[in-house]
């Protein structure tokens, strides 16, 4: 049961992203396209300027059209700033719900239907658990955003590419990128997987044809989306400047990212000059995701693709530039996809990802809904997948890894126990931190103590998961080669 | 780890269901609440701040205490917890006081007292035989029954959005039914007596209890052909039952008898000054009657058969709760409704007397009593349909015929509750929850009875599907038409008439199935 829409009623108004979306409807409806991304007297870019690619703008335009039909006051230029009313809230939430219903939910349902070697009951359970993922529900309906659109498109892309509908898949993924530029986190795995497929088919024959067709599809979809902005060079540059604000620093606010956690010990943001920061983050990101991507290019497989999506997105999240805490959703989506394969670790990760957004959720007064949805999600996963019984090495997909390690250390048999203990400790830590953040006041000298603690703890978790997922990817090759599995 | 795994794993689906619905109820905390919220706050204040002698006389607020004494004691107990949440809500003069902590306390009190309902459902599940069970958990009658009861849409929106305490009251009723199935009649009788003193609406089903206990408990044995064996009458049992009822009533009404306040209490409990139908017509027989009257009066006016001056001005759907007259058909008095209800209830009670079929027969008679009182009662609330829907769930997982009646009754009954939540914010919630519950109930019961003939004939399917367009028309199309200003009551009228048709049909079908059921013995007695 999708409890998401039920959150709609009675939630407190969120000034931030809610007002931003309303403002974008106002801008896109009242101003001509050429002025959407430019600073002008009518469009003050400092007040929630557009900083997503054109597809978001078109979507806002569509919503504004409907809004005009219902009540033009909602999007009147200048006068509707900070507009709030019950009817408007219902309208905005309805737009999120409709976007969800049209794009994200069908993708999830279709994905679960197409799972191989899985009983019908497990398919329904997977769909239920994915839809119940608290992070997406809370951010989209509570904090107010349209992540389900870009994630939905990306999921369509994954579906298409996994089942050999490469052109449609890449088209869907281009739409996703053109909706939110953060989807670029997923772009490398797509690129490597498709490249790998082309290589496999042979670069002299079918592979080349496929490569050309893919390139054409991608270019065509980009041109189609950016058409109004290609007329002048200045337009394109301005949009790019809005999308990728390289003038901002390494990170903003508190995020469960390496740089933020590292700055607890060493304030690199202030020490190093700007371009060196960019270079360092670039290097780290690419170094951490290179092994998985190379492996995917050489041995393309849907399973490897999914895991590489996870590890790439996680690498980007941990090491990249200007990451928002909401970007963890980009990692959570691929993890949801592997929920049926490694239920225990996926559930653990998804709980941590929701926990990492705790400061943001508390700011929006979403404590009660988050507790309820997290508990509902946990109960759903625990009952559907019996996750606590599936912690053996085999189930955690770590069999190959542990056998390799056992060649050197024969006593390495206690991996499942370690992981179980770690899980218990992590849950206790998360619950404790949540309670402390809610009930206690931070000391005067360290007003951000709890947020920083939350980020730090989440970051440690994410590093652990990064290592874990990379292990699965790298050691899967030996399994694949020796047993000739075509998965 | 393993123990935790077993607890959350396949073994304990019931706890998972109960926990899940509790989480859902927590999500519904900030939704719209009706004046019933203020009613209960006022009662908390009255019972906490005033001495007992004032409870039934206090009239600062328009929402005076009109439930029996046990409920007043219940509110008194709650008020002692309430004072830790917000002292201000216990002030009688604080009319319409609803601070966030008050809201939190009240909502949590409903969620918490629902624990009794969960326990009652658990006991009811034990009474269902799982012989028809498939191997799949989701196909077992116990599982389906648990979902139908725990996640009942009507109970959710009436209790947790509109705000009432029907959860634990229904729990008491279901528990007493379960005790009858488990042959613990004394407990069942005791629970019912207590229930009656919590909310006197359960008088509707008292005939079923009385006749069943008399016939199947006081007469300890039957003749082989199923008829009564007069010499097996057990005075001891009769006396003990009487004693239970007497003691419970004494505890409840005793203090007020001592204070000579009984007439006042009864006048509060049974306010006959109110009208035949309240602002929104409950979908019962009188709704059809009034609709017919209105149609005839309109036709009469058009054909100039009626004099416009002679028509009384008060319109029944204008929202005022007062007494009024019908224009064409004879007006209805409380006595008339009482007689109609009595006539409607008698055949089922006779069936229970002459063709006793154990607890199952009792359950059917109970449902028929509840439905008949709903159909013909005076000033019936549409919420009273839950009195019939919840026990009917117990029957629905037994036989296919009962399942089909249950589905019609439930779907139309739940739909008739829609006008209770008229705010725009609750619209998606109520539609989504209703759809989910209806789809689940229909599909699970169809799967359970897939080996028998289909549950619905074409007429019933058509009727049920018609609810969709009706909802679209009432909520989305009508507000934008010009009739909205001239005849604002048309959606309510349409809803109640349409549902009245369905409920009447279900009532009729259930009656036919009870009357034509062959008795346990060989001969068929009338």
């Amino acid at each position: 049961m999708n409890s998401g829409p039920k959150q709609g009623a009675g939630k407190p108004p969120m000034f931030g992203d809610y007002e931003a979306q309303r403002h974008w409807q106002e801008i896109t409806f009242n101003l001509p396209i050429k002025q959407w991304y430019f600073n002008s007297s009518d469009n003050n870019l400092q007040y929630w300027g557009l900083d997503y690619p054109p597809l978001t703008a078109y979507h806002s335009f569509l919503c504004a059209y409907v809004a005009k039909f219902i009540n033009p006051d909602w999007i009147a230029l200048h006068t509707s700033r900070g507009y709030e009313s019950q009817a408007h809230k219902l309208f905005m939430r309805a737009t999120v719900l409709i976007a969800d219903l049209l794009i994200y939910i069908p993708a999830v349902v279709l994905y679960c239907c197409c799972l191989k070697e899985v009983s019908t009951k497990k398919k329904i359970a997977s769909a239920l658990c994915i839809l119940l993922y608290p992070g997406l529900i809370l951010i989209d309906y509570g904090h107010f955003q349209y992540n389900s659109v870009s994630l939905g498109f990306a999921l369509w892309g994954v579906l298409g590419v996994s089942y050999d509908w490469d052109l449609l898949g890449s088209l869907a993924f281009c739409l996703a990128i053109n909706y939110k530029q953060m989807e670029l986190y997923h772009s490398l795995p797509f690129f490597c997987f498709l490249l790998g497929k082309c290589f496999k088919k042979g670069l002299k024959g079918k592979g080349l044809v496929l490569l050309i067709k893919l390139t054409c599809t991608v270019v065509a979809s980009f041109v189609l989306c950016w058409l109004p902005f290609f007329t002048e060079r200045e337009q394109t540059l301005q949009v790019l400047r809005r999308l990728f604000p390289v003038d901002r620093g390494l990170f903003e606010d508190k995020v469960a990212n390496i740089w933020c956690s590292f700055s607890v010990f060493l304030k690199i943001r202030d020490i190093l000059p700007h371009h060196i920061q960019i270079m360092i983050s670039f290097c780290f990101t690419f170094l951490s995701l290179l092994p998985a991507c190379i492996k995917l290019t050489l041995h393309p497989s849907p399973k490897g693709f999914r895991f590489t999506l996870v590890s790439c997105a996680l690498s980007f999240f941990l090491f990249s530039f200007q990451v928002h805490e909401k970007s963890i959703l980009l990692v959570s989506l691929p993890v949801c996809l592997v929920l049926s394969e490694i239920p225990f670790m996926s559930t653990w990760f998804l709980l941590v990802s929701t926990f990492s957004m705790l400061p943001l959720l508390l700011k929006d007064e979403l404590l009660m809904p988050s507790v309820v949805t997290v508990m509902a999600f946990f109960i759903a996963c625990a009952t559907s997948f019996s996750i606590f019984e599936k912690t053996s090495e085999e189930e955690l997909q770590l069999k190959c890894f542990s056998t390799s390690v056992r060649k050197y250390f024969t006593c390495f048999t206690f991996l499942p126990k370690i992981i179980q203990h770690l899980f218990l400790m992590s849950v206790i830590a998360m619950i404790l931190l949540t309670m402390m953040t809610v009930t206690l006041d931070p000391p005067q000298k360290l007003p951000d103590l709890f947020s920083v603690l939350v980020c730090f703890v989440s970051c440690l978790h994410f590093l652990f998961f990064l290592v874990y997922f990379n292990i699965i990817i790298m050691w899967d090759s030996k399994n694949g080669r020796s047993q000739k599995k075509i998965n | 780890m393993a123990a935790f795994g077993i607890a959350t794993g396949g073994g304990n689906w019931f706890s998972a269901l109960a926990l899940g619905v509790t989480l859902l109820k927590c999500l519904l905390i900030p939704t719209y609440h009706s004046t019933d919220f203020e009613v209960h706050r006022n009662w908390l204040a009255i019972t906490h701040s005033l001495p007992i002698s004032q409870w039934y006389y206090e009239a600062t607020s328009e929402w005076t205490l009109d439930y029996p004494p046990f409920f007043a004691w219940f509110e008194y107990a709650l008020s002692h917890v309430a004072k830790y949440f917000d002292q201000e809500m216990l002030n009688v003069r604080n009319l319409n006081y609803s601070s966030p902590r008050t809201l939190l306390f009240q909502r949590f009190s409903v969620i918490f007292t629902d624990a009794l309902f969960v326990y009652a459902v658990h006991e009811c599940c034990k009474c269902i035989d799982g012989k028809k069970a498939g191997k799949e958990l989701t196909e077992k009658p116990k599982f389906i029954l648990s979902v139908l009861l725990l996640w009942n849409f009507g109970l959710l929106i009436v209790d947790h959005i509109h705000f009432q305490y029907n959860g634990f009251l229904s729990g008491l009723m279901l528990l007493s039914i379960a005790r009858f199935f488990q042959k613990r009649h004394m407990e069942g009788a005791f629970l019912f007596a207590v229930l009656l003193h919590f909310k006197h609406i359960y008088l509707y089903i008292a005939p079923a209890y009385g006749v069943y206990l008399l016939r199947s408990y006081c007469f300890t044995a039957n003749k082989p052909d199923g008829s009564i064996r007069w010499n097996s009458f057990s005075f001891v049992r009769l006396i003990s039952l009487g004693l239970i009822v007497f003691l419970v009533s004494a505890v409840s009404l005793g203090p007020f008898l001592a204070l000579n306040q009984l007439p006042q209490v009864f006048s509060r409990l049974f306010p006959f000054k109110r009208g035949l139908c309240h602002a929104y017509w409950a979908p019962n027989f009188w709704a059809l009657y009034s609709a017919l009257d209105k149609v005839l009066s309109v036709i009469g006016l058009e054909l100039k058969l009626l004099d416009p001056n002679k028509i009384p001005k008060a319109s029944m759907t204008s929202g005022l709760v007062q007494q009024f007259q019908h224009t064409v058909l004879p007006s209805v008095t409380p006595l008339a409704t009482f007689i109609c209800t009595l006539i409607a209830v008698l055949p089922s009670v006779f069936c229970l007397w002459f063709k006793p079929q154990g607890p199952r027969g009792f359950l059917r008679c109970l449902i028929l009593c509840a439905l008949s009182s709903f159909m013909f009662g005076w000033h019936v609330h549409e919420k009273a349909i839950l009195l019939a829907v919840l026990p009917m769930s117990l029957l629905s997982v037994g036989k296919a015929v009962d399942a089909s009646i249950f589905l019609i009754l439930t779907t139309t009954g739940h739909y008739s509750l829609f006008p209770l939540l008229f705010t725009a914010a609750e619209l998606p919630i109520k539609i989504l929850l209703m759809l989910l519950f209806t789809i689940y109930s229909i599909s699970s019961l169809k799967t359970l009875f897939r080996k028998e003939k289909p549950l619905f004939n074409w007429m019933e399917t058509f009727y049920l599907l018609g609810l969709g367009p009706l909802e679209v028309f009432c909520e989305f199309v009508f507000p934008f038409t010009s009739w909205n200003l001239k005849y604002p009551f048309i959606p309510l009228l349409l809803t109640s008439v349409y549902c009245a048709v369905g409920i009447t049909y279900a009532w009729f079908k259930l009656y036919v199935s009870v009357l034509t059921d062959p008795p346990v013995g060989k001969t068929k007695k009338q």
Side-chain angles (χ1 to χ4, degrees), chain A residues 80-361:
Chain A
S80 59
R81 293 216 178 158
Y83 189 99
E84 253 171 56
S85 79
Q86 278 283 51
H88 188 227
K89 259 197 271 176
L90 189 63
F91 166 72
M92 296 293 270
R93 298 213 188 274
T95 53
V96 183
L97 180 60
I98 292 176
D100 222 353
L101 280 173
L102 283 177
I103 302 180
Y104 182 65
I105 294 181
V108 171
V109 170
L110 197 60
Y111 177 79
C112 291
C113 284
C114 298
L115 283 175
K116 297 194 186 96
E117 297 162 24
V118 162
S119 67
T120 321
K121 201 172 128 192
K122 278 255 154 40
K123 287 186 192 174
I124 299 180
S126 307
L128 183 71
C129 292
I130 298 180
L131 287 174
L132 267 180
Y133 170 55
L136 189 58
I137 295 179
L138 290 168
I139 294 290
D140 266 12
Y141 291 97
H143 184 76
F144 205 87
Q145 279 206 331
Y146 288 100
N147 288 309
S148 52
V149 178
S150 59
L151 289 177
F153 277 133
L155 188 49
W156 282 111
V158 170
L159 264 175
V161 160
S162 303
Y163 293 102
D164 289 327
W165 292 52
D166 296 323
L167 294 181
L168 288 175
S170 42
L171 176 67
F173 186 65
C174 292
L175 286 176
I177 298 185
N178 279 314
Y179 195 87
K180 279 202 183 188
Q181 69 273 30
M182 274 93 76
E183 284 292 332
L184 282 172
Y185 287 13
H186 292 154
S187 53
L188 263 179
F190 268 91
F191 178 69
C192 295
F193 186 48
L194 289 169
L195 199 63
K197 274 198 194 179
C198 294
F199 283 160
K200 226 164 123 178
K201 291 201 173 151
L203 257 189
K204 298 239 166 79
K206 285 200 205 145
L208 193 60
V209 173
L210 184 59
L211 191 60
I212 295 180
K213 280 205 254 188
L214 284 170
T215 329
C216 289
T217 319
V218 170
V219 169
S221 50
F222 267 86
V223 164
L224 216 63
C225 290
W226 288 60
L227 201 56
F229 302 98
F230 275 159
T231 48
E232 288 165 11
R233 192 161 170 269
E234 185 54 33
Q235 281 275 342
T236 328
L237 282 179
Q238 173 69 358
V239 178
L240 284 172
R241 253 180 252 134
R242 290 295 302 166
L243 295 184
F244 303 103
V246 286
D247 301 326
R248 297 198 205 163
L250 202 53
F251 60 87
E252 236 172 63
D253 229 348
K254 307 284 169 287
V255 67
N257 181 310
I258 287 284
W259 308 125
C260 180
S261 310
F262 201 62
S263 70
V264 169
F265 307 114
L266 190 65
K267 300 254 179 280
I268 42 173
R269 202 167 35 166
D270 306 322
I271 298 181
L272 297 172
H274 217 76
H275 53 274
I276 303 229
Q277 288 177 19
I278 301 184
M279 279 252 295
I280 292 186
S281 106
F282 193 78
C283 288
F284 267 88
T285 319
F286 275 93
L287 278 176
S288 61
L289 54 82
L290 220 49
C293 286
I294 294 181
K295 195 113 182 247
L296 185 62
T297 321
L298 295 174
H299 302 284
S301 71
K303 183 175 166 199
F305 175 51
R306 288 195 286 271
F307 281 102
T308 317
L309 273 173
V310 178
S311 94
C312 273
L314 197 49
S315 308
F316 265 102
F317 179 81
L318 283 171
F319 299 108
S320 173
F321 211 73
Q322 264 292 310
V323 176
H324 280 267
E325 63 247 298
K326 298 185 283 267
S327 310
I328 196 65
L329 293 175
L330 288 161
V331 191
S332 304
L333 178 74
V335 173
C336 285
L337 297 183
V338 299
L339 189 58
S340 50
E341 293 171 53
I342 35 168
F344 177 65
M345 297 298 271
S346 312
T347 314
W348 188 3
F349 180 87
L350 293 170
L351 289 173
V352 175
S353 65
T354 316
F355 170 73
S356 70
M357 294 192 284
L358 186 69
L360 181 67
L361 297 172

Side-chain angles (χ1 to χ4, degrees), chain A residues 23 26-27 31 35 39-44 77-78 81:
Chain A
H23 182 69
E26 173 193 332
I27 296 283
L31 300 178
Q35 292 188 19
N39 212 347
S40 68
S41 56
D42 284 333
N43 181 11
N44 181 8
L77 194 58
H78 297 310
R81 293 216 178 158

